[in-house]
Amino acid sequence: MKEIIEKSISPELEYFMEENEISSVDAMLNIDNEDLLQMEGFGWRMMKEVLSLRKIQ
């Protein structure tokens, strides 16, 4: 049986996605780390969360 894991994100990361018009968590996870870190408003705390979400995939 395939287990479905719901990806919940912090309000801070959700706000970042809205401000940068990133449509979904999957879309964000496909952006390179270097590109995310260069985007306005993205910091190391959110990078830690993104890396954690990538482990779940």
Side-chain angles (χ1 to χ4, degrees):
M1 179 192 296
K2 188 174 184 179
E3 184 178 332
I4 298 173
I5 299 173
E6 186 176 322
K7 297 175 188 154
S8 60
I9 60 173
S10 68
E12 181 182 29
L13 190 55
E14 186 175 359
Y15 178 78
F16 169 80
M17 289 174 59
E18 289 172 5
E19 288 296 307
N20 289 282
E21 298 177 0
I22 301 172
S23 60
S24 68
V25 173
D26 288 332
M28 183 191 51
L29 295 178
N30 287 322
I31 301 173
D32 290 334
N33 293 345
E34 294 82 10
D35 294 333
L36 285 171
L37 287 168
Q38 291 177 2
M39 295 174 82
E40 185 70 31
F42 193 87
W44 288 106
R45 195 169 49 240
M46 285 188 278
M47 177 54 75
K48 183 177 177 182
E49 186 175 351
V50 167
L51 293 173
S52 177
L53 289 167
R54 285 183 179 151
K55 284 182 184 178
I56 293 172
Q57 272 189 330

